[in-house]
């Protein structure tokens, strides 16, 4: 199997995500909340949450909604996973802000 892309892993993940969204009947905001819950349940790293920030913002989701998901799953996944998820979400937001700031800086005239 040969690849012509410089990012075959990322391309594969993006294709899997697109296929999942296409086949899913959930409303976009419910899909994102479901994915956040799944990420928390498996103790996913911050970068996994980072991939869901843009779609969440596009759906006008709030921090309160994300917190509600963590509250809802806490009795099932446990305190440690919920606290880890909160930390990883915060880290992902920090990365997103840093990237946005860098983009703004690079567009300023010298």
């Amino acid at each position: 199997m040969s690849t012509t892309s410089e990012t075959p892993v990322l391309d594969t993940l993006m294709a899997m995500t697109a296929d999942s969204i296409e086949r899913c009947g959930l409303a976009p905001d419910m899909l994102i909340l479901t994915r956040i819950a799944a990420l928390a349940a498996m103790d996913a790293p911050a970068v996994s949450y980072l991939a869901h920030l843009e779609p969440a913002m596009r759906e006008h989701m709030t921090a309160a909604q994300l917190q509600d998901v963590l509250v809802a799953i806490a009795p099932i996944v446990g305190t440690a996973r919920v606290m880890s998820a909160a930390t990883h979400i915060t880290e992902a937001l920090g990365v997103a802000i840093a990237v946005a700031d860098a983009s703004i800086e690079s567009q300023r005239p010298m």
Side-chain angles (χ1 to χ4, degrees):
M1 176 172 98
S2 69
T3 61
T4 57
S5 171
E6 292 182 24
T7 58
V9 174
L10 183 58
D11 295 345
T12 300
L13 293 173
M14 288 174 50
M16 289 170 44
T17 298
D19 190 42
S20 171
I21 291 168
E22 183 179 304
R23 294 171 185 263
C24 182
L26 291 175
D29 59 341
M30 290 293 99
L31 176 66
I32 294 164
L33 292 175
T34 301
R35 287 175 176 239
I36 296 297
L39 292 172
M42 62 182 298
D43 199 20
V47 70
S48 295
Y49 292 94
L50 186 61
H52 293 82
L53 289 179
E54 184 179 337
M57 289 186 295
R58 201 170 39 244
E59 292 301 318
H60 307 289
M61 297 185 72
T62 65
Q65 289 172 303
L66 294 175
Q67 289 174 347
D68 285 343
V69 167
L70 297 179
V71 168
I73 66 171
I76 297 174
V77 302
T79 305
R81 290 278 167 100
V82 168
M83 294 307 295
S84 180
T87 300
H88 291 144
I89 290 169
T90 301
E91 290 170 4
L93 286 169
V95 169
I97 291 168
V99 168
D101 285 348
S103 177
I104 290 169
E105 284 295 319
S106 70
Q107 294 175 6
R108 287 189 179 161
M110 298 278 177

